[in-house]
Amino acid sequence: MYYSQGFLGTSAPFYLDLITVYFGILPFLLGFSIYFAIKKEYGKHFISQSIILSITLILTVIFEIGVRITGGFLEYSKHSNISFDFMLIFLGIHIQVASIAVAGWLFLFISSYKDYKNNKLDATKHKKIGKAIFLALTISSIMGIFIYLFLFVF
């Protein structure tokens, strides 16, 4: 099922369509979660962050396994009209941004939970790091969508 034809009308497999749609809505899900914190509904913020982070990590594992099983970037790029060199550089930047964003998100999630439990949470620092991570995750999501478009639409 995961490797069969997708649902977005391209030649991409199902798992890539699913992941692309998810990362397309990820910034909105994060915004919704952040809204809980703005409203001082910290329990809902924590639970929603837990769920979103978990889903993101699971889908990332599915993506990594799927790419390796189906031949990956090299195989998919054979059918694209976009310059291979451009796509390779773009992919490299995307991987760096995504890796830093997810590592930062994990760090913020774990450290904030520990600090909160010990009554040491610095809200100003948390907001500052959170804004940077939100921006990085949003950029990474947009870049991932463009990679999908480069490989399967253009």
Side-chain angles (χ1 to χ4, degrees):
M1 174 179 149
Y2 288 115
Y3 309 110
S4 61
Q5 183 71 32
F7 55 88
L8 293 178
T10 68
S11 61
F14 178 84
Y15 81 96
L16 283 178
D17 284 2
L18 177 68
I19 290 166
T20 299
V21 169
Y22 175 76
F23 281 102
I25 65 170
L26 178 61
F28 300 101
L29 295 173
L30 291 170
F32 187 68
S33 178
I34 292 165
Y35 181 73
F36 286 137
I38 292 168
K39 291 296 216 176
K40 302 197 183 316
E41 296 180 27
Y42 301 121
K44 289 180 181 178
H45 176 64
F46 175 74
I47 290 168
S48 61
Q49 283 290 307
S50 301
I51 292 168
I52 297 166
L53 178 58
S54 297
I55 292 169
T56 301
L57 293 174
I58 290 166
L59 287 178
T60 301
V61 169
I62 290 169
F63 169 79
E64 291 298 332
I65 292 169
V67 163
R68 281 155 182 72
I69 289 173
T70 60
F73 177 76
L74 291 176
E75 185 62 34
Y76 295 135
S77 65
K78 291 177 184 175
H79 308 289
S80 176
N81 293 320
I82 304 295
S83 161
F84 178 80
D85 291 337
F86 169 78
M87 286 194 301
L88 193 59
I89 292 168
F90 193 88
L91 177 64
I93 295 168
H94 168 66
I95 290 170
Q96 289 176 344
V97 171
S99 298
I100 291 167
V102 172
W105 191 8
L106 278 167
F107 169 79
L108 183 63
F109 182 82
I110 293 167
S111 64
S112 297
Y113 177 74
K114 287 179 180 179
D115 289 347
Y116 179 78
K117 284 295 189 184
N118 294 321
N119 293 318
K120 295 180 182 179
L121 183 64
D122 180 349
T124 303
K125 180 181 170 186
H126 180 84
K127 285 181 196 177
K128 183 178 179 181
I129 296 170
K131 287 177 182 179
I133 291 169
F134 174 79
L135 178 62
L137 288 167
T138 300
I139 291 169
S140 176
S141 292
I142 292 167
M143 290 181 81
I145 291 167
F146 270 98
I147 291 169
Y148 178 93
L149 293 172
F150 294 157
L151 293 174
F152 302 108
V153 176
F154 301 129

